[in-house]
Amino acid sequence: MEMRIVVDINNKTADLGDLYGVFFEDINHAADGGLYAELVRNRSFEFNTIDKDGYHALTAWNVQIPDGAIGSISVQDSHPYCLENPHYLVIDATEPAVGIGVDNEGFGEGIYIEAGKRYIFSCYAACDGRPLRFEVSLRSADGTMYEKKVFLISNSEWECFRAEFVSPVTNTSARLGLRLVSAGRIYIDMVSLFPEDTFLNRQNGLRKDIAEMIADLHPKFMRFPGGCLVHDGSLNENDRDSMYRWKKTLGPIEKRPARRNNWGYNQTLGLGYFEFFQFCEDIGAKPLPVLPGGWDPHHKRAVPVSMIKEWIDDALDLIEFANGDIDTEWGKKRADLGHPEPFFLEYIGIGNEEVGEEFFERYTYFHEAIRKKYPEIKIINTAGPCAGGIAYEMGWESAEKHGSDLIDEHYYQAPEWFIANHHHYDNYNGRTTKVFLGEYASKDDTWYNALVEASYMIGLEKNAEAVGLACYAPLLCHTDYINWKPDMILYDNNRVFGTPSYYVQKLFMHNQGEQELTVSINTDIENEVIESKLGKKIYLAPGIRDRDCVMECSDIRILTKEGEITCPNAVIRAEDEPLFLGEADEDYTVRFVMKRTSGIFGISLRFACADKNNFRKIELGGWENQTCSFEEEIGGRGSFLYDAGFEIQTGKHYQVEVNVKQGRITVYVDGNTVIDSECLSVTIEPIYCCASFDNSTRDIIVKAVNLKNEAYMTEIELKDTGIEKAEVYHMDGYALDERNSFEEPRRVIPKTDSVPVIDGKIRYMMPARSINIFRVKSM
């Protein structure tokens, strides 16, 4: 078997523009404990239960009152250094002995210190008027002191103290110790320890190794600061659990109010909007901020339309902050922060994964105001959290109605979904709004996932007229604080590595090109249909997130071509195992009546079940009891196929009908169509291939992904000219389940080889299950 690929270098089609970028969301401790280089956890004693159950003002601080010492440790707020962060540590010592105080345990295992490296300590402190001796130290978890600094404090007013440590040892679980070593009372706030060696040596800077891995990608843009944390929260900007408000993230770090991060931890905002813009500039990525649109879909909180101006002004002020002259209000604020030059903002997103008419009603006001004042800014709408469904359709309707420049689509799916949907964007051309694929990944971080993602990215490039931007998500994950999998870059306190998907993204970003070229493929290799892993069993199952739910189900029937299967009435409780109803294959209908008697969520119908890792399901009353969804599990990895608005009311009867046919699933509730979704077969094509032209190097870039488990000879030629020389960046030869790790961070990485050119053509044995990117010089 052979294949012939012909690239027409004279037929340039779509501009690839800013296609590939990255998305930063503070999830998995991506900021504090991650990219943000601060080593002290809970530095301003502001943690509390709003952030997370069990948090308190001394979370991450261990009280140390040795034998023979007399004193106490407390946290107070009567005369704070900053009202924005009102809590501070109080150490009282009547008899300090060797010292009374606290040790900070940092993030994860502890504070990482490296022998010979410098660390910058700072804090604010005051005393009760008696001169005090205050000791700061680096020490081990068992109390061994490595180095200490002693401060003499006599001022009853807050004062900043700084010191530099040079660590004599390397320790992955060190502690920062604070001790009062003389009698008296000391007040301490905003305790900080930074490595001197941050990314580009910036103060309040970024962890160097993580930042370098992001910079090494060469992304065209960076989307920030999230994600769900953008819109999940109180409408009052001064509440601790407020929506993310960018103006709160500017200025001195001690004046940035701590806030709840909706992924279940505290967020200091030390990594704020100025730092985001600065980092984008440092790595050559265009900034792409996303702002809330005055609607919290998680809790159904909406800003009254009569009060939306404040939120719109935030968006307009952000554009002025980024681009305005220094004689403008917000341009001057940027200059006062040390950056008189503009940040050249081109994109702005409003909302994230929004569902509900409330958002799209408010989006109108944002869009009109931004378009009127800043017509050059590209405005990004949102299409919900799923690749199809009501929110997705509402988003597209809004985008096309208003002329949004881009619309933000999100989906995390099983690898098989990406294979089946390779042509997802083939019919998007001609729309005035382009796609911003703002969050996507195949579930897991093996070589197989990266390989499949590469094949899908070929489809993105081939449809560059429709797809303007794309970024894998999430970007970062501290392995001691995992909220979400998979992730692109994993780290602990001293190590970092990229998943195979990281190296795929890097390959595609480094080899994007500027113009898409036409490619023709001739081969006798046939498509390969992957055998389905689904089965025939049907179950009713309790909702997985509601431990109080009780659902009464009656009139349960399965209608098949062979006849009808009737099932006894049942009570489905949250703690119950799924209830087996029967088996059916191909075309059939499941009907039942349901009534919730307690709880807040719903129930799911599982069908086409082979086992617990391979099935389809309709979930009724899912995600905050706001949806009816169609989902699929293949090999234990889920795909969210369709999402519709639906809410279950306790005590009400619902007549449910699920119609299963080859290639289509239809769900009716009380006779109304709720879901009508297509199911595509998983078909592997002979090759996934695209080509582009690099204006700076004059290279022709040919990307070819082989998902088949067989190699074949491939001939690559340029139409109307020959190839002078070529090299190939390739990933191949790995078992599908191989992955990178701290122990083997470069187990799955690209390799580079020269490619033989014979008679002006490349003759190349395309490896089985491989990614191949050719850089070609024409004659």
Side-chain angles (χ1 to χ4, degrees):
M1 295 186 295
E2 290 199 3
M3 176 174 294
R4 180 169 173 259
I5 299 172
V6 180
V7 180
D8 187 346
I9 63 174
N10 296 313
N11 190 5
K12 297 181 175 69
T13 56
D15 290 334
L16 292 168
D18 298 326
L19 182 56
Y20 296 123
V22 294
F23 165 46
F24 178 93
E25 177 175 5
D26 194 353
I27 185 174
N28 310 311
H29 273 271
D32 298 326
L35 183 60
Y36 185 50
E38 174 66 79
L39 297 173
V40 175
R41 186 168 177 236
N42 192 15
R43 64 185 177 186
S44 57
F45 308 97
E46 293 296 333
F47 281 29
N48 72 30
T49 54
I50 294 176
D51 306 327
K52 183 178 182 178
D53 286 344
Y55 272 14
H56 52 82
L58 284 173
T59 293
W61 294 94
N62 298 314
V63 173
Q64 304 292 334
I65 302 179
D67 292 343
I70 302 173
S72 64
I73 306 291
S74 63
V75 175
Q76 300 180 11
D77 62 1
S78 59
H79 64 284
Y81 172 70
C82 283
L83 290 175
E84 292 85 354
N85 291 290
H87 295 91
Y88 51 89
L89 181 72
V90 181
I91 306 176
D92 271 306
T94 302
E95 174 51 64
V98 295
I100 294 174
V102 292
D103 289 344
N104 189 266
E105 62 190 32
F107 295 89
E109 181 184 359
I111 294 173
Y112 174 67
I113 54 177
E114 187 175 348
K117 291 295 181 72
R118 298 179 184 274
Y119 298 87
I120 310 302
F121 166 83
S122 66
C123 76
Y124 286 86
C127 69
D128 60 0
R130 290 175 286 176
L132 302 175
R133 287 171 59 83
F134 173 49
E135 177 187 284
V136 181
S137 61
L138 295 179
R139 53 180 67 215
S140 69
D142 63 8
T144 302
M145 186 180 295
Y146 298 134
E147 188 180 12
K148 69 178 181 179
K149 305 290 182 182
V150 177
F151 299 97
L152 301 178
I153 299 178
S154 58
N155 197 340
S156 59
E157 299 298 323
W158 289 101
E159 184 179 354
C160 185
F161 294 86
R162 298 181 183 275
E164 181 182 288
F165 289 94
V166 179
S167 177
V169 300
T170 295
N171 188 334
T172 61
S173 59
R175 302 290 189 263
L176 177 70
L178 310 179
R179 299 289 190 276
L180 181 56
V181 293
S182 59
R185 171 181 287 188
I186 188 171
Y187 311 99
I188 304 169
D189 200 1
M190 196 54 65
V191 182
S192 175
L193 186 69
F194 259 85
E196 181 186 58
D197 189 18
T198 59
F199 183 65
L200 301 185
N201 296 312
R202 295 196 181 280
Q203 292 186 352
N204 194 49
L206 306 181
R207 182 172 147 178
K208 187 175 182 180
D209 55 351
I210 298 175
E212 286 178 343
M213 283 202 72
I214 299 171
D216 287 348
L217 288 167
H218 298 171
K220 297 282 190 180
F221 67 88
M222 185 172 82
R223 175 179 179 245
F224 63 88
C228 288
L229 64 86
V230 167
H231 65 191
D232 176 20
S234 163
L235 304 178
N236 183 349
E237 66 176 335
N238 295 315
D239 286 347
R240 185 184 188 86
D241 62 344
S242 71
M243 289 187 189
Y244 195 104
R245 307 298 289 272
W246 73 271
K247 292 176 181 176
K248 297 288 187 181
T249 76
L250 302 181
I253 57 173
E254 60 270 15
K255 293 184 178 293
R256 303 180 190 182
R259 71 182 298 276
R260 174 198 68 119
N261 180 296
N262 77 320
W263 290 108
Y265 53 91
N266 177 275
Q267 187 174 12
T268 66
L269 300 181
L271 176 54
Y273 257 66
F274 180 78
E275 290 80 15
F276 279 125
F277 276 112
Q278 186 172 252
F279 183 49
C280 288
E281 183 177 72
D282 288 341
I283 66 176
K286 295 180 180 181
L288 197 162
V290 180
L291 298 182
W295 165 242
D296 172 6
H298 298 265
H299 303 94
K300 293 190 174 182
R301 294 180 283 211
V303 176
V305 171
S306 61
M307 300 173 64
I308 200 69
K309 184 178 184 301
E310 172 196 343
W311 298 70
I312 294 170
D313 286 346
D314 271 359
L316 299 176
D317 291 345
L318 175 59
I319 298 170
E320 184 174 282
F321 175 77
N323 294 351
D325 295 334
I326 60 174
D327 58 356
T328 63
E329 178 185 1
W330 287 95
K332 183 179 185 304
K333 291 182 186 293
R334 183 194 66 242
D336 290 345
L337 293 174
H339 201 287
E341 303 82 10
F343 283 117
F344 303 105
L345 179 69
E346 296 181 20
Y347 301 99
I348 190 167
I350 304 298
N352 172 79
E353 295 187 357
E354 307 297 352
V355 295
E357 295 178 358
E358 293 87 347
F359 169 78
F360 295 107
E361 178 186 9
R362 286 153 183 77
Y363 172 85
T364 300
Y365 297 97
F366 285 89
H367 184 97
E368 290 176 351
I370 296 170
R371 187 69 85 212
K372 180 178 180 180
K373 188 169 184 178
Y374 297 106
E376 72 282 5
I377 295 293
K378 295 181 177 66
I379 307 171
I380 304 172
N381 207 320
T382 175
C386 184
I390 300 302
Y392 174 88
E393 292 164 3
M394 289 178 66
W396 267 104
E397 181 181 353
S398 172
E400 293 182 321
K401 173 183 175 182
H402 296 296
S404 304
D405 298 282
L406 297 114
I407 186 165
D408 192 1
E409 295 189 359
H410 294 181
Y411 40 82
Y412 299 91
Q413 313 283 47
E416 290 75 12
W417 183 94
F418 286 93
I419 299 173
N421 287 271
H422 177 76
H423 297 282
H424 187 70
Y425 293 110
D426 284 4
N427 296 320
Y428 278 51
N429 291 342
R431 297 187 180 190
T432 56
T433 298
K434 279 196 167 188
V435 172
F436 171 26
L437 183 48
E439 297 183 31
Y440 76 98
S442 71
K443 292 183 176 178
D444 212 344
D445 58 6
T446 67
W447 160 237
Y448 177 55
N449 296 92
L451 175 65
V452 168
E453 288 159 2
S455 72
Y456 193 76
M457 292 168 74
I458 296 289
L460 301 182
E461 288 201 26
K462 289 169 66 176
N463 288 290
E465 288 184 357
V467 182
L469 307 170
C471 49
Y472 180 104
L475 176 64
L476 300 175
C477 179
H478 192 304
T479 54
D480 288 325
Y481 303 100
I482 299 173
N483 299 110
W484 184 272
K485 291 181 178 181
D487 306 284
M488 192 196 298
I489 298 172
L490 303 174
Y491 50 87
D492 58 16
N493 290 344
N494 61 296
R495 300 172 296 177
V496 60
F497 70 90
T499 64
S501 295
Y502 169 86
Y503 289 101
V504 165
Q505 294 290 326
K506 186 175 180 179
L507 275 180
F508 275 67
M509 290 184 200
H510 284 211
N511 298 282
Q512 178 181 298
E514 279 73 37
Q515 285 92 37
E516 188 69 16
L517 301 174
T518 300
V519 174
S520 60
I521 299 171
N522 296 303
T523 183
D524 59 356
I525 303 173
E526 297 181 349
N527 288 353
E528 176 186 346
V529 178
I530 303 300
E531 183 178 352
S532 174
K533 296 180 181 180
L534 299 172
K536 302 178 182 180
K537 297 178 181 178
I538 304 169
Y539 298 84
L540 279 172
I544 61 174
R545 290 170 293 194
D546 185 359
R547 306 317 303 167
D548 299 318
C549 185
V550 177
M551 190 75 69
E552 294 179 357
C553 297
S554 59
D555 195 20
I556 306 169
R557 291 177 291 163
I558 304 172
L559 287 74
T560 72
K561 290 180 291 186
E562 288 75 28
E564 180 178 307
I565 302 171
T566 59
C567 307
N569 295 346
V571 176
I572 309 294
R573 297 177 176 84
E575 65 271 16
D576 293 344
E577 291 295 314
L579 175 66
F580 178 67
L581 303 182
E583 293 188 0
D585 193 15
E586 297 183 349
D587 297 352
Y588 59 91
T589 297
V590 181
R591 293 176 181 165
F592 61 96
V593 176
M594 67 178 186
K595 182 182 77 170
R596 188 177 66 198
T597 58
S598 69
I600 58 174
F601 295 144
I603 194 171
S604 67
L605 176 74
R606 296 185 184 179
F607 59 100
C609 298
D611 51 47
K612 65 180 181 179
N613 292 320
N614 297 279
F615 59 87
R616 287 174 173 161
K617 73 173 179 177
I618 301 298
E619 186 169 355
L620 298 136
W623 192 77
E624 311 294 344
N625 190 29
Q626 295 186 35
T627 65
C628 174
S629 62
F630 172 34
E631 304 173 43
E632 182 179 75
E633 290 276 332
I634 300 295
R637 295 174 289 209
S639 294
F640 211 79
L641 304 178
Y642 196 93
D643 187 36
F646 179 73
E647 178 180 343
I648 296 177
Q649 297 178 22
T650 298
K652 181 178 178 180
H653 288 87
Y654 297 88
Q655 176 70 54
V656 180
E657 178 176 313
V658 179
N659 195 350
V660 180
K661 290 187 177 182
Q662 290 293 329
R664 184 162 296 277
I665 305 296
T666 311
V667 180
Y668 305 92
V669 178
D670 295 336
N672 299 311
T673 303
V674 179
I675 288 177
D676 186 10
S677 180
E678 186 179 14
C679 305
L680 300 176
S681 62
V682 182
T683 301
I684 295 178
E685 299 177 11
I687 194 73
Y688 301 89
C689 184
C690 65
S692 61
F693 184 75
D694 187 323
N695 290 338
S696 60
T697 63
R698 312 297 293 175
D699 287 352
I700 294 93
I701 302 167
V702 182
K703 298 185 178 77
V705 176
N706 178 16
L707 293 184
K708 287 179 170 286
N709 191 26
E710 57 185 335
Y712 44 80
M713 181 57 65
T714 304
E715 182 178 87
I716 302 175
E717 64 178 280
L718 305 182
K719 186 177 180 180
D720 299 329
T721 188
I723 297 173
E724 179 182 344
K725 61 179 180 179
E727 61 181 357
V728 61
Y729 302 90
H730 59 103
M731 297 179 72
D732 53 72
Y734 304 110
L736 294 181
D737 61 353
E738 287 190 72
R739 65 184 82 222
N740 294 333
S741 64
F742 287 124
E743 293 70 30
E744 295 183 278
R746 296 178 62 81
R747 183 181 180 91
V748 182
I749 60 170
K751 306 175 185 69
T752 308
D753 288 303
S754 60
V755 180
V757 178
I758 303 171
D759 296 329
K761 301 176 184 178
I762 293 172
R763 292 281 291 175
Y764 182 77
M765 181 60 73
M766 193 77 68
R769 292 171 174 166
S770 65
I771 301 168
N772 309 273
I773 299 182
F774 302 87
R775 276 197 167 264
V776 177
K777 296 287 187 185
S778 62
M779 290 181 175

